Amino acid sequence: CDTSAFTRRFEDALRTMWHRWCAGQGATAFSTAPGERSWSPPTGAPRVAPPPVTMGQRLTAGLAAGLSAEERRAVAAALPGARWIDERGLGQDRAERLIHLSLMDIRLASADDGTDIAADAAWMGVATVTAARSGGGGSRLNTLLGLDALNAGDAVTLARTAAELCGDHNRLARLRAGLRLRVQAAGPSLFFSR
């Protein structure tokens, strides 16, 4: 069985189905919490690539804008030598944000961070470890995607969870390869019709 060819064909089939949904023939937008905007998959997003750290690059972690100083210090201590992408410095352009997300191995977020960037990150195959156990945007998305283990309750657990995930390159690669499919497969839990 040629797994890479199968994966490409499967992604192509899902992409075709996705384009049909976007044309109004099915579900198209991620329902965020009441009062929040809805999320739609980015058009023209690149394929999900392997985690950069598994390709011989330095571990790269994204820091969501809402992370507290305590959370930032904890993850910096847990991931020594990591390269950091601070989302506070990213513009509002979604295409640019997708490029930055694709450069990350992992994304770290607080309880207050919204769902839209976490959903874009998942679409690009980047797992978001969040400091919230439940209720926040990223933690809510993790729960819907079956990734409750990535919902930490505090800064110490956030750092430990991130270090454990980043320390297991095989797990990180499997998670990255399947995140877009998890978003697509979540169906009724994530999407609503226009």
Side-chain angles (χ1 to χ4, degrees):
C1 177
D2 182 357
T3 56
S4 62
F6 171 80
T7 301
R8 280 193 303 278
R9 286 193 307 271
F10 187 65
E11 284 180 341
D12 289 342
L14 286 173
R15 192 174 298 108
T16 299
M17 180 174 58
W18 196 252
H19 288 293
R20 287 183 186 151
W21 287 349
C22 292
Q25 300 170 8
T28 60
F30 170 39
S31 176
T32 58
E36 290 184 1
R37 301 175 316 198
S38 61
W39 178 87
S40 295
T43 56
R47 285 186 175 198
V48 175
V53 72
T54 65
M55 305 299 290
Q57 296 180 25
R58 203 166 81 191
L59 174 74
T60 303
L63 301 173
L67 280 176
S68 70
E70 176 190 6
E71 292 163 340
R72 288 171 184 266
R73 281 191 301 273
V75 296
L79 301 173
R83 178 176 159 239
W84 305 101
I85 296 177
D86 192 335
E87 292 177 8
R88 294 179 296 191
L90 300 182
Q92 295 298 312
D93 181 66
R94 191 178 195 193
E96 180 183 326
R97 185 171 66 225
L98 292 172
I99 291 168
H100 286 288
L101 288 168
S102 71
L103 299 174
M104 297 175 189
D105 291 294
I106 190 171
R107 181 175 177 270
L108 304 153
S110 73
D112 299 329
D113 286 310
T115 306
D116 56 345
I117 297 177
D120 277 352
W123 190 257
M124 296 308 298
V126 179
T128 297
V129 179
T130 179
R133 286 209 185 276
S134 63
S139 65
R140 184 169 163 269
L141 180 64
N142 282 343
T143 299
L144 291 171
L145 297 178
L147 299 171
D148 281 315
L150 300 182
N151 293 336
D154 55 39
V156 172
T157 310
L158 173 78
R160 185 178 65 243
T161 303
E164 288 171 359
L165 180 58
C166 292
D168 185 344
H169 292 182
N170 289 330
R171 179 179 172 215
L172 189 64
R174 285 191 311 273
L175 183 58
R176 187 174 183 113
L179 267 174
R180 188 175 288 185
L181 296 176
R182 282 181 189 245
V183 172
Q184 292 168 327
S189 300
L190 295 177
F191 303 98
F192 64 91
S193 296
R194 287 184 208 207

mmCIF file of all heavy atoms in Angstrom, residues 65-105:
data_model
loop_
_atom_site.group_PDB
_atom_site.id
_atom_site.type_symbol
_atom_site.label_atom_id
_atom_site.label_comp_id
_atom_site.label_asym_id
_atom_site.label_seq_id
_atom_site.Cartn_x
_atom_site.Cartn_y
_atom_site.Cartn_z
ATOM 1 N N ALA A 65 -1.280 35.667 21.421
ATOM 2 C CA ALA A 65 -1.230 37.027 21.952
ATOM 3 C C ALA A 65 -1.642 37.107 23.418
ATOM 4 O O ALA A 65 -1.110 37.913 24.175
ATOM 5 C CB ALA A 65 -2.103 37.945 21.105
ATOM 6 N N GLY A 66 -2.572 36.270 23.845
ATOM 7 C CA GLY A 66 -3.103 36.371 25.202
ATOM 8 C C GLY A 66 -2.315 35.663 26.279
ATOM 9 O O GLY A 66 -2.723 35.668 27.442
ATOM 10 N N LEU A 67 -1.185 35.029 25.945
ATOM 11 C CA LEU A 67 -0.403 34.339 26.973
ATOM 12 C C LEU A 67 0.123 35.333 28.002
ATOM 13 O O LEU A 67 0.639 36.393 27.652
ATOM 14 C CB LEU A 67 0.790 33.606 26.358
ATOM 15 C CG LEU A 67 0.516 32.266 25.699
ATOM 16 C CD1 LEU A 67 1.786 31.737 25.050
ATOM 17 C CD2 LEU A 67 -0.027 31.256 26.682
ATOM 18 N N SER A 68 0.003 34.969 29.261
ATOM 19 C CA SER A 68 0.505 35.839 30.331
ATOM 20 C C SER A 68 2.022 35.730 30.418
ATOM 21 O O SER A 68 2.636 34.807 29.871
ATOM 22 C CB SER A 68 -0.117 35.422 31.667
ATOM 23 O OG SER A 68 0.408 34.160 32.067
ATOM 24 N N ALA A 69 2.624 36.660 31.137
ATOM 25 C CA ALA A 69 4.073 36.626 31.350
ATOM 26 C C ALA A 69 4.469 35.337 32.064
ATOM 27 O O ALA A 69 5.488 34.716 31.739
ATOM 28 C CB ALA A 69 4.517 37.849 32.150
ATOM 29 N N GLU A 70 3.666 34.907 33.027
ATOM 30 C CA GLU A 70 3.944 33.658 33.755
ATOM 31 C C GLU A 70 3.919 32.466 32.805
ATOM 32 O O GLU A 70 4.804 31.598 32.860
ATOM 33 C CB GLU A 70 2.912 33.464 34.873
ATOM 34 C CG GLU A 70 3.077 32.149 35.605
ATOM 35 C CD GLU A 70 1.916 31.821 36.543
ATOM 36 O OE1 GLU A 70 0.911 32.575 36.556
ATOM 37 O OE2 GLU A 70 2.008 30.800 37.233
ATOM 38 N N GLU A 71 2.925 32.402 31.923
ATOM 39 C CA GLU A 71 2.829 31.305 30.962
ATOM 40 C C GLU A 71 4.004 31.330 29.987
ATOM 41 O O GLU A 71 4.585 30.288 29.668
ATOM 42 C CB GLU A 71 1.492 31.378 30.216
ATOM 43 C CG GLU A 71 0.307 31.082 31.100
ATOM 44 C CD GLU A 71 -1.027 31.538 30.533
ATOM 45 O OE1 GLU A 71 -1.054 32.414 29.635
ATOM 46 O OE2 GLU A 71 -2.060 31.018 30.993
ATOM 47 N N ARG A 72 4.395 32.503 29.538
ATOM 48 C CA ARG A 72 5.539 32.636 28.624
ATOM 49 C C ARG A 72 6.836 32.176 29.294
ATOM 50 O O ARG A 72 7.643 31.480 28.682
ATOM 51 C CB ARG A 72 5.664 34.078 28.120
ATOM 52 C CG ARG A 72 4.570 34.456 27.135
ATOM 53 C CD ARG A 72 4.573 35.958 26.808
ATOM 54 N NE ARG A 72 3.443 36.257 25.950
ATOM 55 C CZ ARG A 72 3.508 36.298 24.620
ATOM 56 N NH1 ARG A 72 4.647 36.089 24.003
ATOM 57 N NH2 ARG A 72 2.435 36.561 23.910
ATOM 58 N N ARG A 73 7.036 32.555 30.544
ATOM 59 C CA ARG A 73 8.242 32.124 31.268
ATOM 60 C C ARG A 73 8.252 30.605 31.443
ATOM 61 O O ARG A 73 9.296 29.960 31.274
ATOM 62 C CB ARG A 73 8.325 32.808 32.638
ATOM 63 C CG ARG A 73 8.835 34.226 32.599
ATOM 64 C CD ARG A 73 9.146 34.768 33.995
ATOM 65 N NE ARG A 73 7.981 34.746 34.881
ATOM 66 C CZ ARG A 73 7.081 35.717 34.970
ATOM 67 N NH1 ARG A 73 7.204 36.810 34.231
ATOM 68 N NH2 ARG A 73 6.063 35.615 35.806
ATOM 69 N N ALA A 74 7.102 30.035 31.770
ATOM 70 C CA ALA A 74 7.024 28.586 32.008
ATOM 71 C C ALA A 74 7.355 27.798 30.740
ATOM 72 O O ALA A 74 8.125 26.835 30.789
ATOM 73 C CB ALA A 74 5.636 28.214 32.527
ATOM 74 N N VAL A 75 6.795 28.210 29.599
ATOM 75 C CA VAL A 75 7.070 27.456 28.361
ATOM 76 C C VAL A 75 8.495 27.709 27.876
ATOM 77 O O VAL A 75 9.120 26.801 27.321
ATOM 78 C CB VAL A 75 6.030 27.728 27.247
ATOM 79 C CG1 VAL A 75 4.659 27.255 27.673
ATOM 80 C CG2 VAL A 75 5.999 29.178 26.840
ATOM 81 N N ALA A 76 9.042 28.896 28.123
ATOM 82 C CA ALA A 76 10.430 29.164 27.733
ATOM 83 C C ALA A 76 11.379 28.248 28.509
ATOM 84 O O ALA A 76 12.347 27.718 27.952
ATOM 85 C CB ALA A 76 10.781 30.627 27.963
ATOM 86 N N ALA A 77 11.086 28.019 29.786
ATOM 87 C CA ALA A 77 11.913 27.131 30.602
ATOM 88 C C ALA A 77 11.743 25.669 30.177
ATOM 89 O O ALA A 77 12.696 24.892 30.217
ATOM 90 C CB ALA A 77 11.564 27.297 32.078
ATOM 91 N N ALA A 78 10.544 25.297 29.750
ATOM 92 C CA ALA A 78 10.266 23.908 29.372
ATOM 93 C C ALA A 78 10.774 23.559 27.980
ATOM 94 O O ALA A 78 10.990 22.385 27.674
ATOM 95 C CB ALA A 78 8.760 23.644 29.448
ATOM 96 N N LEU A 79 10.941 24.574 27.126
ATOM 97 C CA LEU A 79 11.379 24.349 25.746
ATOM 98 C C LEU A 79 12.651 25.148 25.464
ATOM 99 O O LEU A 79 12.668 26.044 24.628
ATOM 100 C CB LEU A 79 10.269 24.742 24.762
ATOM 101 C CG LEU A 79 8.934 24.013 24.909
ATOM 102 C CD1 LEU A 79 7.882 24.622 23.996
ATOM 103 C CD2 LEU A 79 9.098 22.527 24.634
ATOM 104 N N PRO A 80 13.756 24.813 26.151
ATOM 105 C CA PRO A 80 14.994 25.581 25.956
ATOM 106 C C PRO A 80 15.501 25.434 24.523
ATOM 107 O O PRO A 80 15.409 24.376 23.922
ATOM 108 C CB PRO A 80 15.967 24.955 26.963
ATOM 109 C CG PRO A 80 15.442 23.584 27.205
ATOM 110 C CD PRO A 80 13.946 23.680 27.045
ATOM 111 N N GLY A 81 15.992 26.526 23.991
ATOM 112 C CA GLY A 81 16.541 26.511 22.640
ATOM 113 C C GLY A 81 15.504 26.635 21.541
ATOM 114 O O GLY A 81 15.844 26.632 20.360
ATOM 115 N N ALA A 82 14.228 26.733 21.917
ATOM 116 C CA ALA A 82 13.172 26.844 20.907
ATOM 117 C C ALA A 82 13.218 28.208 20.235
ATOM 118 O O ALA A 82 13.671 29.201 20.809
ATOM 119 C CB ALA A 82 11.796 26.637 21.544
ATOM 120 N N ARG A 83 12.755 28.240 19.012
ATOM 121 C CA ARG A 83 12.560 29.490 18.275
ATOM 122 C C ARG A 83 11.109 29.895 18.536
ATOM 123 O O ARG A 83 10.213 29.061 18.510
ATOM 124 C CB ARG A 83 12.794 29.235 16.785
ATOM 125 C CG ARG A 83 12.576 30.435 15.924
ATOM 126 C CD ARG A 83 12.924 30.103 14.460
ATOM 127 N NE ARG A 83 12.256 31.061 13.641
ATOM 128 C CZ ARG A 83 11.377 30.766 12.696
ATOM 129 N NH1 ARG A 83 11.089 29.522 12.430
ATOM 130 N NH2 ARG A 83 10.811 31.710 11.999
ATOM 131 N N TRP A 84 10.862 31.171 18.770
ATOM 132 C CA TRP A 84 9.526 31.640 19.137
ATOM 133 C C TRP A 84 8.945 32.525 18.045
ATOM 134 O O TRP A 84 9.635 33.390 17.523
ATOM 135 C CB TRP A 84 9.580 32.418 20.457
ATOM 136 C CG TRP A 84 10.204 31.610 21.546
ATOM 137 C CD1 TRP A 84 11.490 31.714 22.002
ATOM 138 C CD2 TRP A 84 9.607 30.559 22.274
ATOM 139 N NE1 TRP A 84 11.713 30.787 22.978
ATOM 140 C CE2 TRP A 84 10.574 30.054 23.170
ATOM 141 C CE3 TRP A 84 8.344 29.979 22.269
ATOM 142 C CZ2 TRP A 84 10.322 29.020 24.048
ATOM 143 C CZ3 TRP A 84 8.094 28.930 23.141
ATOM 144 C CH2 TRP A 84 9.066 28.454 24.021
ATOM 145 N N ILE A 85 7.676 32.316 17.745
ATOM 146 C CA ILE A 85 6.931 33.218 16.870
ATOM 147 C C ILE A 85 5.838 33.827 17.741
ATOM 148 O O ILE A 85 4.924 33.128 18.180
ATOM 149 C CB ILE A 85 6.315 32.489 15.658
ATOM 150 C CG1 ILE A 85 7.417 31.915 14.768
ATOM 151 C CG2 ILE A 85 5.410 33.453 14.867
ATOM 152 C CD1 ILE A 85 6.913 31.116 13.578
ATOM 153 N N ASP A 86 5.973 35.110 18.022
ATOM 154 C CA ASP A 86 5.011 35.801 18.875
ATOM 155 C C ASP A 86 3.888 36.342 17.997
ATOM 156 O O ASP A 86 4.121 37.186 17.132
ATOM 157 C CB ASP A 86 5.710 36.927 19.628
ATOM 158 C CG ASP A 86 4.863 37.502 20.744
ATOM 159 O OD1 ASP A 86 3.615 37.416 20.676
ATOM 160 O OD2 ASP A 86 5.445 38.042 21.692
ATOM 161 N N GLU A 87 2.676 35.849 18.218
ATOM 162 C CA GLU A 87 1.544 36.253 17.389
ATOM 163 C C GLU A 87 1.169 37.716 17.569
ATOM 164 O O GLU A 87 0.451 38.270 16.735
ATOM 165 C CB GLU A 87 0.338 35.348 17.663
ATOM 166 C CG GLU A 87 0.567 33.934 17.187
ATOM 167 C CD GLU A 87 -0.585 33.002 17.502
ATOM 168 O OE1 GLU A 87 -1.652 33.466 17.957
ATOM 169 O OE2 GLU A 87 -0.404 31.793 17.302
ATOM 170 N N ARG A 88 1.674 38.358 18.605
ATOM 171 C CA ARG A 88 1.400 39.792 18.781
ATOM 172 C C ARG A 88 2.026 40.596 17.647
ATOM 173 O O ARG A 88 1.577 41.684 17.344
ATOM 174 C CB ARG A 88 1.914 40.294 20.122
ATOM 175 C CG ARG A 88 1.179 39.700 21.315
ATOM 176 C CD ARG A 88 1.720 40.202 22.609
ATOM 177 N NE ARG A 88 3.113 39.765 22.780
ATOM 178 C CZ ARG A 88 3.798 39.871 23.897
ATOM 179 N NH1 ARG A 88 3.250 40.427 24.962
ATOM 180 N NH2 ARG A 88 5.042 39.449 23.976
ATOM 181 N N GLY A 89 3.061 40.042 17.021
ATOM 182 C CA GLY A 89 3.738 40.738 15.941
ATOM 183 C C GLY A 89 3.206 40.407 14.558
ATOM 184 O O GLY A 89 3.671 40.948 13.563
ATOM 185 N N LEU A 90 2.227 39.530 14.487
ATOM 186 C CA LEU A 90 1.673 39.158 13.182
ATOM 187 C C LEU A 90 0.575 40.129 12.779
ATOM 188 O O LEU A 90 -0.204 40.579 13.615
ATOM 189 C CB LEU A 90 1.099 37.740 13.220
ATOM 190 C CG LEU A 90 2.074 36.616 13.566
ATOM 191 C CD1 LEU A 90 1.360 35.272 13.507
ATOM 192 C CD2 LEU A 90 3.267 36.613 12.640
ATOM 193 N N GLY A 91 0.502 40.408 11.503
ATOM 194 C CA GLY A 91 -0.544 41.292 10.993
ATOM 195 C C GLY A 91 -1.890 40.583 10.911
ATOM 196 O O GLY A 91 -2.032 39.422 11.289
ATOM 197 N N GLN A 92 -2.849 41.286 10.396
ATOM 198 C CA GLN A 92 -4.201 40.746 10.276
ATOM 199 C C GLN A 92 -4.416 39.948 8.996
ATOM 200 O O GLN A 92 -5.452 39.320 8.825
ATOM 201 C CB GLN A 92 -5.220 41.895 10.342
ATOM 202 C CG GLN A 92 -5.240 42.608 11.679
ATOM 203 C CD GLN A 92 -5.640 41.677 12.807
ATOM 204 O OE1 GLN A 92 -6.612 40.948 12.710
ATOM 205 N NE2 GLN A 92 -4.865 41.677 13.879
ATOM 206 N N ASP A 93 -3.444 39.978 8.084
ATOM 207 C CA ASP A 93 -3.589 39.281 6.819
ATOM 208 C C ASP A 93 -3.591 37.772 7.052
ATOM 209 O O ASP A 93 -2.617 37.210 7.556
ATOM 210 C CB ASP A 93 -2.451 39.675 5.873
ATOM 211 C CG ASP A 93 -2.575 38.988 4.530
ATOM 212 O OD1 ASP A 93 -3.543 39.296 3.808
ATOM 213 O OD2 ASP A 93 -1.712 38.136 4.228
ATOM 214 N N ARG A 94 -4.673 37.124 6.680
ATOM 215 C CA ARG A 94 -4.825 35.700 6.957
ATOM 216 C C ARG A 94 -3.809 34.853 6.198
ATOM 217 O O ARG A 94 -3.263 33.892 6.747
ATOM 218 C CB ARG A 94 -6.246 35.242 6.616
ATOM 219 C CG ARG A 94 -6.549 33.852 7.112
ATOM 220 C CD ARG A 94 -7.970 33.465 6.807
ATOM 221 N NE ARG A 94 -8.364 32.303 7.562
ATOM 222 C CZ ARG A 94 -9.456 31.626 7.308
ATOM 223 N NH1 ARG A 94 -10.272 31.999 6.334
ATOM 224 N NH2 ARG A 94 -9.762 30.563 8.029
ATOM 225 N N ALA A 95 -3.543 35.175 4.952
ATOM 226 C CA ALA A 95 -2.578 34.404 4.167
ATOM 227 C C ALA A 95 -1.199 34.451 4.814
ATOM 228 O O ALA A 95 -0.502 33.429 4.907
ATOM 229 C CB ALA A 95 -2.529 34.917 2.737
ATOM 230 N N GLU A 96 -0.807 35.615 5.289
ATOM 231 C CA GLU A 96 0.488 35.751 5.976
ATOM 232 C C GLU A 96 0.489 34.941 7.271
ATOM 233 O O GLU A 96 1.467 34.279 7.612
ATOM 234 C CB GLU A 96 0.756 37.224 6.269
ATOM 235 C CG GLU A 96 2.074 37.466 6.984
ATOM 236 C CD GLU A 96 2.280 38.937 7.331
ATOM 237 O OE1 GLU A 96 1.836 39.800 6.569
ATOM 238 O OE2 GLU A 96 2.881 39.191 8.389
ATOM 239 N N ARG A 97 -0.628 35.002 7.999
ATOM 240 C CA ARG A 97 -0.726 34.251 9.253
ATOM 241 C C ARG A 97 -0.611 32.750 8.995
ATOM 242 O O ARG A 97 0.057 32.029 9.740
ATOM 243 C CB ARG A 97 -2.048 34.565 9.955
ATOM 244 C CG ARG A 97 -2.156 33.897 11.320
ATOM 245 C CD ARG A 97 -3.347 34.373 12.102
ATOM 246 N NE ARG A 97 -4.590 33.978 11.465
ATOM 247 C CZ ARG A 97 -5.640 34.780 11.296
ATOM 248 N NH1 ARG A 97 -5.584 36.021 11.695
ATOM 249 N NH2 ARG A 97 -6.722 34.334 10.727
ATOM 250 N N LEU A 98 -1.218 32.260 7.910
ATOM 251 C CA LEU A 98 -1.130 30.834 7.588
ATOM 252 C C LEU A 98 0.311 30.418 7.322
ATOM 253 O O LEU A 98 0.735 29.324 7.704
ATOM 254 C CB LEU A 98 -2.014 30.500 6.384
ATOM 255 C CG LEU A 98 -3.514 30.600 6.606
ATOM 256 C CD1 LEU A 98 -4.257 30.447 5.289
ATOM 257 C CD2 LEU A 98 -3.986 29.580 7.618
ATOM 258 N N ILE A 99 1.069 31.284 6.674
ATOM 259 C CA ILE A 99 2.483 30.985 6.421
ATOM 260 C C ILE A 99 3.229 30.872 7.751
ATOM 261 O O ILE A 99 3.986 29.927 7.971
ATOM 262 C CB ILE A 99 3.118 32.057 5.510
ATOM 263 C CG1 ILE A 99 2.528 31.942 4.105
ATOM 264 C CG2 ILE A 99 4.638 31.922 5.481
ATOM 265 C CD1 ILE A 99 2.858 33.103 3.201
ATOM 266 N N HIS A 100 3.009 31.823 8.659
ATOM 267 C CA HIS A 100 3.668 31.774 9.966
ATOM 268 C C HIS A 100 3.238 30.537 10.746
ATOM 269 O O HIS A 100 4.063 29.892 11.402
ATOM 270 C CB HIS A 100 3.396 33.041 10.771
ATOM 271 C CG HIS A 100 4.145 34.224 10.282
ATOM 272 N ND1 HIS A 100 5.502 34.375 10.448
ATOM 273 C CD2 HIS A 100 3.743 35.319 9.604
ATOM 274 C CE1 HIS A 100 5.900 35.499 9.902
ATOM 275 N NE2 HIS A 100 4.838 36.097 9.380
ATOM 276 N N LEU A 101 1.961 30.201 10.682
ATOM 277 C CA LEU A 101 1.480 29.002 11.375
ATOM 278 C C LEU A 101 2.157 27.750 10.829
ATOM 279 O O LEU A 101 2.510 26.848 11.596
ATOM 280 C CB LEU A 101 -0.047 28.876 11.253
ATOM 281 C CG LEU A 101 -0.858 29.880 12.067
ATOM 282 C CD1 LEU A 101 -2.321 29.849 11.645
ATOM 283 C CD2 LEU A 101 -0.723 29.608 13.558
ATOM 284 N N SER A 102 2.351 27.681 9.523
ATOM 285 C CA SER A 102 2.957 26.488 8.931
ATOM 286 C C SER A 102 4.412 26.318 9.371
ATOM 287 O O SER A 102 4.957 25.214 9.272
ATOM 288 C CB SER A 102 2.858 26.533 7.409
ATOM 289 O OG SER A 102 3.718 27.520 6.869
ATOM 290 N N LEU A 103 5.046 27.382 9.860
ATOM 291 C CA LEU A 103 6.428 27.314 10.334
ATOM 292 C C LEU A 103 6.530 26.828 11.775
ATOM 293 O O LEU A 103 7.620 26.562 12.269
ATOM 294 C CB LEU A 103 7.089 28.690 10.224
ATOM 295 C CG LEU A 103 7.177 29.286 8.824
ATOM 296 C CD1 LEU A 103 7.710 30.704 8.893
ATOM 297 C CD2 LEU A 103 8.030 28.413 7.922
ATOM 298 N N MET A 104 5.395 26.713 12.453
ATOM 299 C CA MET A 104 5.373 26.319 13.861
ATOM 300 C C MET A 104 5.288 24.805 13.997
ATOM 301 O O MET A 104 4.642 24.131 13.211
ATOM 302 C CB MET A 104 4.156 26.931 14.568
ATOM 303 C CG MET A 104 4.126 28.418 14.622
ATOM 304 S SD MET A 104 2.561 28.978 15.364
ATOM 305 C CE MET A 104 2.668 30.742 15.062
ATOM 306 N N ASP A 105 5.921 24.298 15.049
ATOM 307 C CA ASP A 105 5.753 22.894 15.420
ATOM 308 C C ASP A 105 4.562 22.744 16.366
ATOM 309 O O ASP A 105 3.874 21.726 16.371
ATOM 310 C CB ASP A 105 7.012 22.370 16.126
ATOM 311 C CG ASP A 105 8.178 22.268 15.167
ATOM 312 O OD1 ASP A 105 8.100 21.444 14.250
ATOM 313 O OD2 ASP A 105 9.157 23.021 15.328
#
